[in-house]
Amino acid sequence: MNGSNSRFIPDGFREQMYYTNLFRLLFRFDIPEHVMPLWESVVPNIYSPSINIIEDLMEFISTWNLKDNYVRLWSDLLLLGFIDNRQNNRRIIERYLKLLIRSDQDSLPIEQIKQYANIGRQILKKFPLVPEEDEQRQQQPEELQKEGNEAQQRAKQFRQSQPKFQYTGHILSDLIYLLTRADDFEASWSLYEHYLGNKSTLINPLHESSLMSLLSLSIKQNHVDQALSIIETINELNYECLSNALDLLNRHDNLDIKDRQRLRAIQKNSSLESAHLVKLV
């Protein structure tokens, strides 16, 4: 930095600027073998990157397909405070989940699939799926009680002033996919139910891939009613995968007469030609 004003810039700020400019260059022109060891040696103890540098890092990791760094990246995001309710940071969560989803799921070892699912559970724990009206009912008894402790009162007011995390169809879809890959039906189904209860206000519907993954797990674990609900949603969204969904459940042995009637009704109401080509039992 040239110019006489540079002497007024604190050393810590200069250091942050140095690493910011350095990593911008490295992400563009260098290779992972040089970049990642340096990143791990300075973040977060020496250098606290901005959201723009984090996004550059994600692009770098995605371009080079650095699967071994995905979990470490999640730890960095937590330590650096990028996992919260702020709009920009929600974008970081969306991009990070896309990074996990884009990896070749079929070739991943079981341990890595479990790690990805555990990250999904951490997101759910940090941002619980509590409908607003239920949350208000839970808060009402507390509001009627007199707070004897001023510190508790201030803490409560602070929590209420914080923006609620807004799940989108994209985030729900990615979480469902990661959790179903690890055979976690309970958690993935709770996400699906959240979608059903809030689909009129949610941004984006669920993806085909997440619905089909949840359907496969439902059939695998013999949850027939849930499987039919998923197929109804696929039909409602007019997804081309409906024919595959119908065929998948149709081949299941544990369908009773009512289940098969419901399956035929879905097929009959479909506007997709491919769905009517499926021969139901």
Side-chain angles (χ1 to χ4, degrees), residues 18-59:
Y18 166 77
Y19 281 116
T20 293
N21 293 325
L22 175 63
F23 280 116
R24 279 176 178 162
L25 288 172
L26 293 178
F27 290 150
R28 291 182 182 180
F29 302 114
D30 214 329
I31 60 176
E33 287 76 8
H34 298 158
V35 177
M36 296 314 298
L38 176 61
W39 177 272
E40 292 172 3
S41 68
V42 299
V43 176
N45 296 327
I46 298 174
Y47 174 54
S48 296
S50 67
I51 189 171
N52 292 330
I53 294 299
I54 288 293
E55 289 185 312
D56 289 345
L57 171 65
M58 286 186 175
E59 187 65 30

Side-chain angles (χ1 to χ4, degrees), residues 24-185:
R24 279 176 178 162
L25 288 172
L26 293 178
F27 290 150
R28 291 182 182 180
F29 302 114
D30 214 329
I31 60 176
E33 287 76 8
H34 298 158
V35 177
M36 296 314 298
L38 176 61
W39 177 272
E40 292 172 3
S41 68
V42 299
V43 176
N45 296 327
I46 298 174
Y47 174 54
S48 296
S50 67
I51 189 171
N52 292 330
I53 294 299
I54 288 293
E55 289 185 312
D56 289 345
L57 171 65
M58 286 186 175
E59 187 65 30
F60 180 78
I61 288 176
S62 176
T63 300
W64 288 91
N65 196 25
L66 305 178
K67 296 179 184 179
D68 292 341
N69 294 94
Y70 289 177
V71 177
R72 160 65 198 254
L73 175 58
W74 174 253
S75 299
D76 286 346
L77 293 176
L78 288 173
L79 286 171
L80 294 167
F82 285 108
I83 308 301
D84 60 24
N85 289 336
R86 283 176 288 178
Q87 183 71 28
N88 287 342
N89 295 358
R90 189 179 70 192
R91 188 175 79 240
I92 287 290
I93 294 176
E94 287 183 334
R95 290 198 62 176
Y96 179 75
L97 289 173
K98 283 286 179 275
L99 192 65
L100 299 185
I101 297 297
R102 276 203 302 266
S103 61
D104 186 2
Q105 296 286 327
D106 292 332
S107 65
L108 288 178
I110 297 298
E111 188 59 35
Q112 206 159 5
I113 290 174
K114 290 180 178 179
Q115 286 179 329
Y116 292 176
N118 189 50
I119 290 172
R121 295 185 194 101
Q122 290 179 43
I123 293 174
L124 284 173
K125 185 176 181 180
K126 189 170 183 62
F127 309 114
L129 295 171
V130 180
E132 190 171 347
E133 58 271 17
D134 290 349
E135 190 173 37
Q136 289 173 351
R137 281 197 292 269
Q138 291 172 8
Q139 290 175 353
Q140 190 174 8
E142 295 179 7
E143 293 170 354
L144 296 176
Q145 296 174 2
K146 292 183 179 180
E147 295 286 352
N149 190 312
E150 291 185 2
Q152 289 181 354
Q153 182 71 24
R154 287 195 297 270
K156 180 181 176 182
Q157 291 174 351
F158 175 77
R159 288 195 302 270
Q160 292 175 345
S161 68
Q162 296 303 296
K164 293 182 177 65
F165 184 79
Q166 297 294 321
Y167 279 94
T168 65
H170 291 328
I171 294 178
L172 291 174
S173 294
D174 292 342
L175 289 173
I176 286 173
Y177 188 80
L178 293 176
L179 291 165
T180 53
R181 290 285 294 154
D183 290 343
D184 190 341
F185 178 79

